[in-house]
Structure formats: structure tokens, C-alpha cells
Amino acid sequence: MIYLWRKKEMKYLYRFSLILAISFLFSACYGTQEQVKKVQESLSGNWELIGLLYEKNTIDGLFPSKRPTVSFDIENEIVSGFNGCNTFNGPIFSNRLSLTVFIKKVKSTKMACGSDGEKVFMQLLGQITSYRIDEQNELELFIKTQRIMSFKRLSN
């Protein structure tokens, strides 16, 4: 009877240790609140599109006159910018390293455009799931694990 109790106790101890180890692993991946806030704050500011993964056209073909820009205001949870033809603004949600643009709530001006660039840009922006700022201080936006757009920081 004592042997069974110890075996059962060891089983619970093992499960508890496994859960604790997984918790530490995830907290280490995301960093402390201060680290996450620092990364989020580095996203704030103005960015210009320099790269786009789109198989039907090139970035210069989609945006022949002026490239899109985005401006992130993390504190107020707002994104705004120029999508290649019209200006836009709307809500965003940033949680750790994920980024969600609530594209259905984005407001935009309604000028007629001659290319598909605006439509492509807004569709892709609405699918973004995460971001990172790389070693060259370029912003990369991802859909799942695929890098879709790259931006360079604009000076204010």
C-alpha cells in the first residue's frame, strides 16, 4: 500500500514538474512585461513599404507613384497610413509579438485608383498575425510564419 502511494505521488510530482517547466519555457519565449513593452514601443512610428510578397506583380508595379506607409500608435491602439492611393486609419491590437489589424473597422478615403496595389495591400494587412523588427531596424509583418511585407522606419 505504501509503495502504491509513493508511485502515485511520483506521478503527480512528475506532472507538476512538467507543467512548471512548460510555463517557464513560454514565459522565457515571450520575455518579461518590460521586454514586451519595449518591443511594442519600437513598433510605434512611421514606416514605408520596401518589400512585398505577392506573386502576381512587383512592388513597383503595384505602387507606381508612391509606396504605402503605415504609422503605429501602440499606446492608443491605432494604425494609420497611406495604402498606395488612399489614406486609412483604424484599430489594432498588439499582444506580445502578435499584431492584429481590425481591417473591417478601418476607415479609408475613397479616391479612384488605377492599380490593384491598394486592394492587395489592405487585404494582406488585414491578415497579419505577427511582426518583428530585424537587426537592420526593418519591420517585418507575417501571416503565420510567412514574411509578407517589409518596411523601413521613416524619420519624423
Side-chain angles (χ1 to χ4, degrees):
M1 182 85 163
I2 293 175
Y3 173 73
L4 289 176
W5 180 78
R6 285 188 180 175
K7 190 173 185 181
K8 203 176 207 181
E9 184 180 70
M10 290 302 289
K11 185 178 176 182
Y12 288 121
L13 183 60
Y14 172 74
R15 284 185 182 168
F16 176 74
S17 298
L18 184 62
I19 291 169
L20 190 61
I22 290 171
S23 299
F24 282 127
L25 177 67
F26 281 116
S27 66
C29 289
Y30 288 120
T32 65
Q33 275 304 98
E34 293 81 28
Q35 290 169 326
V36 169
K37 187 171 178 142
K38 186 176 178 183
V39 170
Q40 287 177 331
E41 286 172 353
S42 67
L43 178 64
S44 292
N46 302 316
W47 302 86
E48 180 180 42
L49 184 69
I50 58 172
L52 177 71
L53 181 65
Y54 183 68
E55 55 194 45
K56 295 181 182 177
N57 206 335
T58 65
I59 192 169
D60 292 327
L62 287 170
F63 309 104
S65 57
K66 188 175 177 187
R67 290 194 178 171
T69 59
V70 292
S71 178
F72 294 102
D73 180 351
I74 297 299
E75 187 174 319
N76 295 310
E77 296 183 335
I78 295 173
V79 63
S80 61
F82 173 74
N83 61 22
C85 182
N86 288 289
T87 59
F88 67 93
N89 67 54
I92 57 171
F93 176 71
S94 177
N95 182 9
R96 299 195 183 267
L97 296 178
S98 67
L99 181 68
T100 303
V101 177
F102 297 106
I103 205 70
K104 290 182 172 122
K105 296 182 180 180
V106 168
K107 297 175 185 169
S108 177
T109 56
K110 305 285 184 200
M111 284 182 22
C113 304
S115 74
D116 291 335
E118 174 186 34
K119 181 180 175 185
V120 169
F121 181 78
M122 295 306 287
Q123 284 176 341
L124 293 174
L125 191 63
Q127 298 176 43
I128 298 301
T129 55
S130 62
Y131 69 94
R132 81 179 185 114
I133 298 174
D134 68 11
E135 301 80 31
Q136 289 81 30
N137 200 28
E138 291 179 359
L139 171 64
E140 297 176 328
L141 300 180
F142 295 85
I143 297 175
K144 297 184 181 174
T145 59
Q146 179 70 50
R147 183 181 64 178
I148 300 298
M149 293 188 246
S150 299
F151 293 81
K152 69 176 180 179
R153 188 180 294 278
L154 296 173
S155 54
N156 294 333

